[in-house]
Amino acid sequence: MTAVAVPRRGLTHDIAGVLLLAGVYFVAARLSLMTAYTHHTVTALWAPAGISLAALLMGGRRLWPGVFAGAVLSYAGFRADVAIGLAATNTIGAVLGAWLVDHFANGRHAFRRARDVLSWTMWTGLVASAVVATLTVIVLALGGDVIPAEYDDVWIERWLGNLGSVLLLAPALVLWWDRFQLRWRRQQVLEGIAFLASLVIVCGIVFGVPFEVGNSHDSPRAFAFFPILAWSAFRLGPRATATAVAVLAGIAVLATLQGQGPFALADPSQALVLVQAFLSTSAATTLGVAAAVDERQRAQRQVAVLNVELEQRIQERTAALARSEALLAEARQLRERAEAEEERERFLSEASKVLGASLELDATLHGLARLAVPRTADWCAIHLVEAGGIRQVTLAHVDPARVKQVQELMQRFPPRPEQPPAYQRVIDSGQPILIPAISDALLVQSAHSPEQLAFARSLNLVSMMVVPLIARGRTIGALSFATTTASGRHYGDPELSLAMELGRRVAIAVDNTRLFQQTQEAVKAREDFLAIASHELRTPVTSLRLQVQIVERALNEELARARTANDPWLLAAGFQRVLDFIGVLGEDSRRLVRLVNGLLDVTRIATGKLDLHLEELDFRDIVRSGIESVRPEVSNRGVRLTSRLGDPLPGRWDRLRLEQVIANLLSNAVKYGEGRPIVVKAEAEGPDVVLTVQDQGVGVDSAFQARMFDRFEQATHGQQGLGLGLYITKQIVESHGGTISVESRVGEGSTFRVRLPRAPAQTPSPGGTGT
Amino acid sequence: MKRILVVDDDARIVDRLALLLGQKYEVRLASNGFDALDQLDQEVDAVLLDLRMPGLDGPGLVAELQKHRIQVPVILMSANPNLAESARSLGVRHYLAKPFDIEALEGILDRL
């Protein structure tokens, strides 16, 4: 439970106050009445008025019984009705005065504003005192204590007495009651002491109290107080001023009563009036000034405080403004970044659309380069790695005419091998190049002639970046972007990452296009092969069937003849005829089998299934068998075939396959040999065996030499067979780890050379070559 | 007896056709278009013509015949799958896809 201190303003407190007030009032009254000159009840020095006013103002008007009691006591010795009447008058005056101060002079704060001081002076000083004076005269008149001739004197004395006390005593009492503590800095304390000393000196000068300084009856000396009072009013505040006024008043009155000072007149009551008047006027004005000064100081302090507050608020507002500006800037930045991001995404999606639109490589890349310019670059170039080297597939700029111009100039200045251009370096390293700002020094460094430098400068390049095109782990080209002074853009990391992403997509598109092209070519090759194969197989099948029909008819004829004839020799001759025909059929079917086997070999080679059955052999035997297999062709054409087989040539080979090789080479030699002699040689050369087949026939031109080992290549059109002979021969030789080559000149014949190791190395089966 | 000119660069086919047709018809042989043109100085009743030949090939010979306004029935033979189209574009009515039966050929020859 929290205990709140509640001021115990209760009856006890009030009763104590009343009693205290009564006591003080009585004492002050008694002292004051000692100076009653005009009338025994009236004095120009009525201290109790100020005391009672201060008490009722600060302690509350309900303390009025104290005033009344005190007044009654002080008028003891007077007639009862007069005493009570006077007491009532005093009470009324005090209460009225306090009420007037509360209502017109800002109550207890009356000395804080100049106009309140004025109000105090007027209402309590002049008006309330007038009321008191009037009531006093009435009471005394009713009580018969005063004669009409004395009315004005009594009134004035009473008035002045009240007024003086209210103006000279009450302010000090009120201000000290309001704030009793002395909170002065050292400087102020020193000043206060100085002031006090000066006050004492001035009192001495003017009143000879506490010590005499010259002739004190010089009335102008009284004005010496004004500087002192002014000092206190301007520098020491209302409370000190009120105190000074009270002290001064006290001394002045005392001195005057003692007949000292400029106010000391023969008539003491007159002197008191004079001194009261002087003091009251000075007090009123001085207190007013003090209040004004205090007011202004307070106003200044308030202004200072308000200034500080204002300053603070301004700072707060400024800070808040700065914060919201920062937030705005941040928001703007975020939005810009988002927009840039969006633009990048849009560009990438459009680029993907372009890349995916067609499988026509060059057209697609042209389209992509045109999309990039001028959106992301002023120049865009794409280079691809191809069989013959690096090709610039496309170069784009906003102005197509400029593109042509630049391309022509670029041809004039081809890149030098010791200073590879950026796209070359990117392709070699697989790493991108970013140059945010192209300096002239860079151009100078990479130029290899003054003309080329001038050309490079004329492009007004500002910034460039080159990214690799990487597909399936291989760098297949480069994508270059450059800006000129037209856009003034500088490339940085965000642009580079966009370019890298674009490069990825382009590489995938290019790779896909190429794979598709390769697939199409392979499919076409297969289709061509199948077409050729089926076409070529039909011809031998045709002749085979015709021979079958020949056999059928011959058999029918011979059967018919056999039925009628009796001659066994005729019969035998008939059978022989049919058998001869069947023999030809046998040859036909053997030929057909060879053709089909050739086709099967080709497919086996393509799928990597050309298996070799190796055995230890003498190469000379293989040559001899090969020669035997072509003996019919050789003797039919009447060609002279010479073989030169020297020392034994042992090794490990596939007998059937190598016989196939030799047969193929000899068969070609017969076909294209123009009937001239053919020489076959087999000899050792180092660790290898070398077979040579030489003819003196038509020869082969160098263009065909490059192609002749490919599939379906035939020297002349319409030859029987599928053009597979040399292709298969080469595959067989290579799967033994050997090589085959030809030397030939048109019109002079050809020499085929086959080099074979004694045992094949573990080569993987050939297949898929030429993809 | 009807006279048939057989034109094909494949000697075996030519020989066998000659053997098979030789009993019912008078068969003349040529191994290419030029050879055939020479033979066509003498009258024939039909020309059996292979499409693919070195020198003057089938279509070439047909063009030559049309140019010289030699009116003689032509029967085209080929292993080519587009034989029907080629025949149509050459304006030749009769064609035989290789391999064919001799009876088919004889059927066409009889109807000529």
Side-chain angles (χ1 to χ4, degrees):
Chain A
M1 199 161 79
T2 50
V4 178
V6 174
R8 275 184 134 268
R9 295 192 160 259
L11 205 53
T12 348
H13 191 102
D14 289 345
I15 288 174
V18 162
L19 289 175
L20 184 63
L21 179 58
V24 170
Y25 193 101
F26 171 71
V27 169
R30 270 334 232 184
L31 285 171
S32 305
L33 281 172
M34 288 200 292
T35 63
Y37 293 109
T38 312
H39 190 279
H40 61 202
T41 61
V42 171
T43 157
L45 195 68
W46 188 236
I51 293 171
S52 60
L53 175 63
L56 292 189
L57 193 60
M58 303 306 281
R61 291 200 286 277
R62 61 186 179 282
L63 295 180
W64 66 265
V67 177
F68 188 75
V72 165
L73 282 172
S74 25
Y75 291 124
F78 290 47
R79 259 195 15 241
D81 53 342
V82 169
I84 289 171
L86 288 176
T89 305
N90 288 341
T91 312
I92 289 169
V95 170
L96 177 67
W99 186 90
L100 286 170
V101 169
D102 276 337
H103 281 85
F104 293 105
N106 209 11
R108 59 204 299 165
H109 301 302
F111 300 102
R112 306 188 66 184
R113 286 196 299 200
R115 71 165 189 263
D116 292 334
V117 168
L118 189 63
S119 299
W120 169 289
T121 310
M122 222 178 56
W123 293 110
T124 44
L126 305 176
V127 169
S129 305
V131 168
V132 166
T134 311
L135 287 175
T136 306
V137 167
I138 292 172
V139 165
L140 288 175
L142 285 177
D145 231 358
V146 69
I147 54 175
E150 293 179 317
Y151 282 2
D152 45 352
D153 283 335
V154 169
W155 195 95
I156 286 177
E157 196 148 348
R158 195 72 176 89
W159 184 73
L160 274 177
N162 223 65
L163 172 72
S165 178
V166 159
L167 286 182
L168 302 169
L169 190 54
L173 289 174
V174 164
L175 287 168
W176 278 101
W177 192 318
D178 190 41
R179 198 162 61 101
F180 195 72
Q181 293 143 312
L182 202 65
R183 264 198 248 116
W184 277 6
R185 295 191 297 277
R186 211 171 83 96
Q187 196 186 23
Q188 286 173 307
V189 168
L190 287 174
E191 194 173 346
I193 291 171
F195 172 74
L196 214 57
S198 314
L199 182 64
V200 167
I201 292 170
V202 165
C203 285
I205 292 174
V206 176
F207 292 107
V209 172
F211 48 81
E212 177 115 20
V213 181
N215 181 11
S216 62
H217 292 278
D218 207 344
S219 46
R221 287 191 181 199
F223 295 97
F225 283 117
F226 288 110
I228 290 289
L229 291 176
W231 179 351
S232 119
F234 280 106
R235 290 199 54 88
L236 304 177
R239 191 176 60 173
T241 309
T243 315
V245 161
V247 165
L248 185 60
I251 291 177
V253 164
L254 274 176
T256 308
L257 285 177
Q258 287 175 0
Q260 279 183 280
F263 304 105
L265 298 176
D267 182 359
S269 65
Q270 286 246 344
L272 276 180
V273 166
L274 193 59
V275 80
Q276 282 275 51
F278 169 75
L279 290 170
S280 301
T281 335
S282 335
T285 40
T286 312
L287 286 171
V289 169
V293 169
D294 189 53
E295 211 179 345
R296 202 192 71 172
Q297 279 178 344
R298 263 184 293 123
Q300 277 180 334
R301 272 200 298 275
Q302 218 169 14
V303 166
V305 165
L306 283 172
N307 266 349
V308 167
E309 256 182 49
L310 191 66
E311 197 60 48
Q312 226 175 4
R313 220 171 289 170
I314 286 176
Q315 274 181 350
E316 278 171 20
R317 285 283 153 84
T318 312
L321 197 68
R323 271 198 304 276
S324 67
E325 260 189 36
L327 280 171
L328 201 68
E330 213 181 285
R332 204 180 305 132
Q333 223 182 16
L334 280 170
R335 205 193 58 204
E336 278 174 9
R337 220 176 293 160
E339 279 176 4
E341 208 41 61
E342 215 187 290
E343 162 65 20
R344 275 200 281 278
E345 286 305 312
R346 229 177 306 137
F347 177 68
L348 276 175
S349 89
E350 278 180 47
S352 286
K353 249 185 256 163
V354 168
L355 289 172
S358 101
L359 282 161
E360 255 248 78
L361 191 56
D362 280 20
T364 303
L365 293 178
H366 284 315
L368 183 75
R370 276 199 298 274
L371 180 73
V373 164
R375 221 156 127 173
T376 53
D378 296 317
W379 286 99
C380 174
I382 304 181
H383 293 83
L384 287 180
V385 177
E386 293 180 347
I390 298 176
R391 175 169 76 102
Q392 185 192 72
V393 174
T394 178
L395 178 66
H397 187 256
V398 179
D399 181 8
R402 190 108 173 80
V403 171
K404 272 210 74 182
Q405 195 183 37
V406 165
Q407 273 175 331
E408 280 163 12
L409 285 168
M410 277 168 86
Q411 283 196 338
R412 288 236 318 263
F413 305 114
R416 291 190 305 182
E418 61 272 19
Q419 260 191 342
Y423 64 80
Q424 173 84 61
R425 280 180 277 143
V426 166
I427 288 171
D428 291 338
S429 69
Q431 296 295 318
I433 289 177
L434 168 68
I435 305 177
I438 296 173
S439 63
D440 196 61
L442 188 65
L443 292 177
V444 170
Q445 197 185 25
S446 32
H448 36 80
S449 72
E451 299 89 40
Q452 203 252 354
L453 177 62
F455 162 60
R457 281 184 176 145
S458 75
L459 292 173
N460 291 324
L461 296 173
V462 166
S463 179
M464 75 180 255
M465 53 184 178
V466 182
V467 296
L469 304 175
I470 299 177
R472 292 186 286 146
R474 274 174 45 244
T475 307
I476 61 172
L479 171 62
S480 312
F481 294 108
T483 56
T484 63
T485 49
S487 72
R489 268 169 62 163
H490 285 271
Y491 289 133
D493 285 326
E495 287 80 23
L496 183 66
S497 78
L498 174 68
M500 293 284 287
E501 176 57 30
L502 188 62
R504 232 177 36 88
R505 297 186 189 198
V506 169
I508 290 171
V510 168
D511 199 43
N512 283 350
T513 304
R514 283 182 175 166
L515 281 171
F516 179 70
Q517 273 173 357
Q518 280 167 7
T519 310
Q520 280 202 313
E521 279 165 18
V523 166
K524 182 158 192 304
R526 286 276 153 83
E527 281 178 1
D528 287 346
F529 174 70
L530 284 174
I532 293 172
S534 69
H535 185 275
E536 291 298 314
L537 282 174
R538 277 179 212 199
T539 305
V541 165
T542 305
S543 60
L544 187 95
R545 278 187 73 172
L546 288 174
Q547 189 66 17
V548 165
Q549 286 167 359
I550 288 172
V551 166
E552 273 180 359
R553 290 200 179 170
L555 205 50
N556 281 325
E557 283 168 19
E558 294 309 321
L559 274 172
R561 205 176 300 163
R563 285 199 196 95
T564 58
N566 276 324
D567 191 340
W569 290 112
L570 267 172
L571 221 55
F575 278 132
Q576 188 58 51
R577 183 167 155 245
V578 174
L579 273 172
D580 287 341
F581 284 145
I582 290 173
V584 170
L585 199 57
E587 275 172 39
D588 282 351
S589 58
R590 272 194 294 278
R591 245 181 51 239
L592 202 51
V593 164
R594 273 205 299 277
L595 274 170
V596 169
N597 280 337
L599 279 173
L600 287 172
D601 278 345
V602 166
T603 44
R604 270 194 218 114
I605 288 165
T607 55
K609 288 206 190 77
L610 191 68
D611 298 324
L612 298 176
H613 302 290
L614 303 171
E615 46 183 327
E616 301 288 338
L617 298 164
D618 185 344
F619 195 73
R620 301 178 300 173
D621 292 333
I622 303 177
V623 175
R624 289 191 198 108
S625 328
I627 291 172
E628 262 320 298
S629 67
V630 297
R631 191 154 293 288
E633 282 174 66
V634 171
S635 47
N636 278 354
R637 303 276 190 113
V639 172
R640 197 165 61 143
L641 177 67
T642 324
S643 60
R644 301 235 185 88
L645 310 167
D647 299 324
L649 301 164
R652 234 171 105 77
W653 298 290
D654 185 325
R655 168 189 278 279
L656 282 171
R657 292 297 186 181
L658 288 181
E659 276 178 18
Q660 200 178 345
V661 163
I662 291 159
N664 173 249
L665 292 173
L666 287 174
S667 166
N668 281 346
V670 168
K671 232 186 274 184
Y672 300 106
E674 307 263 280
R676 300 206 189 90
I678 298 170
V679 178
V680 180
K681 269 194 296 199
E683 57 200 350
E685 225 179 76
D688 303 327
V689 165
V690 174
L691 167 78
T692 9
V693 175
Q694 188 184 27
D695 69 72
Q696 292 159 33
V698 287
V700 179
D701 66 42
S702 48
F704 190 66
Q705 278 178 42
R707 293 192 339 252
M708 67 196 301
F709 293 101
D710 292 343
R711 280 186 291 203
F712 313 131
E713 292 294 342
Q714 285 180 330
T716 53
H717 198 50
Q719 285 283 338
Q720 291 241 333
L722 291 159
L724 298 172
L726 280 175
Y727 171 73
I728 295 172
T729 295
K730 180 164 176 247
Q731 299 304 317
I732 292 170
V733 165
E734 283 178 358
S735 50
H736 277 88
T739 55
I740 181 168
S741 60
V742 61
E743 271 169 40
S744 179
R745 219 173 273 156
V746 176
E748 288 176 22
S750 317
T751 305
F752 285 83
R753 202 180 302 269
V754 174
R755 173 184 290 277
L756 289 167
R758 299 289 183 129
Q762 298 302 342
T763 49
S765 13
T769 54
T771 52
Chain B
M1 232 181 355
K2 284 190 184 164
R3 292 152 299 188
I4 317 288
L5 175 61
V6 176
V7 188
D8 196 325
D9 59 329
D10 188 330
R12 287 196 190 84
I13 291 182
V14 163
D15 288 343
R16 290 166 200 196
L17 282 171
L19 200 62
L20 285 165
L21 296 169
Q23 292 178 341
K24 276 170 62 176
Y25 307 97
E26 187 186 311
V27 179
R28 305 224 181 91
L29 310 174
S31 62
N32 60 59
F34 288 121
D35 217 358
L37 275 177
D38 290 339
Q39 302 248 10
L40 281 165
D41 288 344
Q42 303 158 23
E43 287 239 359
V44 291
D45 299 302
V47 175
L48 182 59
L49 179 54
D50 185 31
L51 274 185
R52 248 185 61 178
M53 292 182 295
L56 189 63
D57 64 359
L61 182 59
V62 171
E64 282 295 308
L65 293 177
Q66 284 169 351
K67 200 166 79 173
H68 295 299
R69 296 182 207 282
I70 300 176
Q71 299 270 40
V72 61
V74 170
I75 305 168
L76 285 177
M77 341 178 246
S78 183
N80 192 310
N82 297 332
L83 178 56
E85 237 177 81
S86 310
R88 210 177 317 138
S89 66
L90 289 168
V92 171
R93 230 179 41 189
H94 306 288
Y95 55 87
L96 279 168
K98 288 184 184 174
F100 53 82
D101 286 337
I102 197 70
E103 279 91 18
L105 175 59
E106 285 172 342
I108 294 174
L109 289 172
D110 289 339
R111 275 182 274 133
L112 283 177

